[in-house]
Amino acid sequence: MSDKSGMQNNNRTRWLTLAGTILTQLALGSVYTWSLFNGQLSEKLGEPISRVALTFGILSLCLALASSVAGKLQERFGVRTVTIAAGLLMAAGFALTAHSDNVIMLYISAGVLVGLADGAGYLLTLTNCVKWFPERKGMISACSIGAYGLGSLLFKFVCGHLLATEGLQNTFMIWGGVAMVMVIAGALMMKDAPKQETAAVTREENSLNDNSNDSRDFTLAEAIRAPQYWMLALMFLTACMSGLYVIGVAKDIGQSLVKLDALTAANAVTVIAIANLSGRLVLGVLSDKMQRIRVISIAQIVSLAGMSMMLFTQMNEMMFFLSVACVAFSFGGTITVYPSLVSDFFGLNNMTKNYGLLYLGFGIGSIFASLVASLFGGFAVTFSIITALLIVSLVLSATIRLPNKSQEAHNTLQHV
């Protein structure tokens, strides 16, 4: 009877953790409304929009850096404590942003502080929640990361209304306060997932995702010695590079390449948000029904189709929206499937650390694409490099095989 009661409590705990994770991710996803603020911040600080817009690049990089150490933070302090701290730091960052009177202060407050807070909370809560549901990894990733994407859509309307009625400074203060309350409320509903036994994964999932090897539980040190880790890293960086670059300059692509007026080109933001969220939900759920690496291949083909339209065709309005939708759909699906994919290759127990280092590709991809674009000017060179990397990534996803831990250990001993 006590065993049954314990199972019921455990089941209740994990569903509460999922609810808390979704609430937290909704708040953390709000940072993707940043482009709404570039114009007013440019006027306030007397800086060109290009310098103000760099804030989001810094935020993305700091988000990735914080994500890479999330596993160590969880080990030391637990998911609840770290998430509460992330909520407090996020509010502090927005409060300082509200009172920033120069661009350097803006970079530190909104770029560094908000980015670190967002990254610490994002990956930690996501991977902890996935560990609670080893039999539904794809679906849980879709729910969590889908909430992160939905947060950007919801807060677009919230922040837009606040900017129109409360002004720039008060908007940042209210935004920070609302996000903090949501993150802390979500954190109080979470508990650290118990250590998982690889053998406990269902036989059905083993056959679908090839993770039936009971010894497949790599530490980070073991994972980075496997060539498969760096193959996955290149594929992830490429997906982030294509997705983040196109999402960031979609309006400019519409105006420059398709000659759309500013209002029509701005509709790309809505198209991207819907496609991004659709990719997270569709490919996330699909990844529980077929091998996850095949889902990544599908995402790469969709992204290649979108990039090819931009690079090789004379786009009209419909093709422009279709092409950015393809890239956004692929990007959203990829970042949803990847945490579970990494656990398929390197085990569930060290997923936060193993995925955390790989997640640096999110920040690196964002910065690298922007640097290429600024160095060579125009879109053609950047599109060409992204297309070439997507082709390489597609070949890698078609040929990659699961690592053999015993073989990795043997290779390590040979080098000692």
Side-chain angles (χ1 to χ4, degrees):
M1 187 71 178
S2 60
D3 286 347
K4 186 176 180 181
S5 177
M7 288 177 64
Q8 287 175 340
N9 286 336
N10 210 38
N11 200 42
R12 180 173 175 271
T13 298
R14 71 176 190 162
W15 286 104
L16 266 176
T17 298
L18 174 60
T21 301
I22 289 173
L23 183 60
T24 297
Q25 295 281 355
L26 282 169
L28 296 177
S30 66
V31 298
Y32 283 86
T33 61
W34 183 258
S35 61
L36 294 175
F37 299 89
N38 285 334
Q40 290 196 32
L41 283 168
S42 174
E43 291 179 16
K44 176 186 175 182
L45 303 179
E47 296 282 356
I49 285 182
S50 59
R51 291 195 70 188
V52 173
L54 181 59
T55 307
F56 189 73
I58 297 169
L59 187 154
S60 298
L61 184 59
C62 289
L63 191 158
L65 288 170
S67 295
S68 69
V69 299
K72 289 187 179 295
L73 292 173
Q74 183 180 10
E75 279 183 359
R76 183 163 184 180
F77 302 107
V79 66
R80 183 177 292 176
T81 301
V82 177
T83 306
I84 289 172
L88 293 171
L89 182 60
M90 193 172 186
F94 280 128
L96 289 171
T97 301
H99 296 92
S100 295
D101 56 7
N102 60 76
V103 74
I104 300 301
M105 186 65 184
L106 181 67
Y107 291 162
I108 293 170
S109 58
V112 176
L113 295 183
V114 175
L116 291 175
D118 208 86
Y122 166 72
L123 189 60
L124 183 71
T125 56
L126 164 65
T127 54
N128 179 69
C129 194
V130 169
K131 288 177 191 175
W132 272 111
F133 295 85
E135 79 286 6
R136 294 191 183 101
K137 292 188 288 185
M139 188 194 80
I140 297 304
S141 290
C143 289
S144 179
I145 301 179
Y148 191 79
L150 187 59
S152 67
L153 201 57
L154 292 176
F155 274 84
K156 174 189 173 186
F157 298 106
V158 173
C159 291
H161 174 73
L162 288 173
L163 276 172
T165 58
E166 300 292 335
L168 186 65
Q169 183 170 312
N170 286 341
T171 296
F172 280 122
M173 296 297 293
I174 296 169
W175 180 11
V178 170
M180 179 186 71
V181 169
M182 291 174 68
V183 170
I184 292 176
L188 294 174
M189 299 166 71
M190 299 176 201
K191 284 192 71 173
D192 287 280
K195 187 175 176 65
Q196 300 292 330
E197 295 296 333
T198 311
V201 180
T202 65
R203 184 177 294 128
E204 180 184 8
E205 186 180 355
N206 288 338
S207 66
L208 288 172
N209 287 306
D210 291 339
N211 54 348
S212 57
N213 185 348
D214 288 353
S215 66
R216 183 165 289 112
D217 208 358
F218 288 66
T219 65
L220 178 58
E222 290 168 338
I224 61 175
R225 286 195 288 268
Q228 290 92 335
Y229 190 85
W230 301 106
M231 293 165 76
L232 290 176
L234 178 59
M235 287 187 274
F236 185 73
L237 182 142
T238 301
C240 291
M241 183 177 175
S242 60
L244 292 171
Y245 178 69
V246 170
I247 288 170
V249 299
K251 181 181 174 184
D252 303 304
I253 295 171
Q255 290 183 270
S256 300
L257 296 186
V258 196
K259 307 304 180 187
L260 300 177
D261 61 81
L263 193 61
T264 305
N267 289 331
V269 175
T270 304
V271 171
I272 284 170
I274 294 170
N276 194 343
L277 183 58
S278 299
R280 294 168 194 242
L281 297 175
V282 172
L283 296 185
V285 172
L286 187 62
S287 72
D288 278 337
K289 303 187 181 302
M290 62 186 291
Q291 290 184 18
R292 291 188 180 94
I293 194 64
R294 298 285 78 84
V295 178
I296 295 299
S297 299
I298 292 170
Q300 290 164 342
I301 291 169
V302 172
S303 188
L304 258 175
M307 294 305 303
S308 298
M309 277 185 256
M310 294 183 198
L311 196 56
F312 300 117
T313 66
Q314 290 289 330
M315 284 192 296
N316 56 30
E317 182 178 335
M318 183 178 292
M319 287 190 70
F320 163 64
F321 288 130
L322 180 60
S323 63
V324 296
C326 283
V327 175
F329 180 91
S330 171
F331 171 67
T334 298
I335 63 172
T336 299
V337 174
Y338 244 76
S340 300
L341 180 68
V342 170
S343 77
D344 290 345
F345 274 75
F346 302 108
L348 199 58
N349 286 312
N350 297 313
M351 181 174 68
T352 308
K353 291 181 181 177
N354 292 338
Y355 180 52
L357 177 62
L358 191 145
Y359 195 76
L360 284 172
F362 183 91
I364 295 169
S366 174
I367 295 292
F368 182 64
S370 298
L371 285 175
V372 170
S374 62
L375 284 173
F376 294 99
F379 301 111
V381 174
T382 313
F383 288 167
S384 299
I385 291 174
I386 291 172
T387 301
L389 285 171
L390 280 169
I391 293 170
V392 171
S393 295
L394 183 57
V395 172
L396 291 178
S397 72
T399 57
I400 194 171
R401 295 293 180 266
L402 290 174
N404 185 307
K405 189 174 182 184
S406 59
Q407 183 62 45
E408 294 299 326
H410 176 70
N411 292 342
T412 302
L413 286 173
Q414 283 186 324
H415 287 93
V416 174

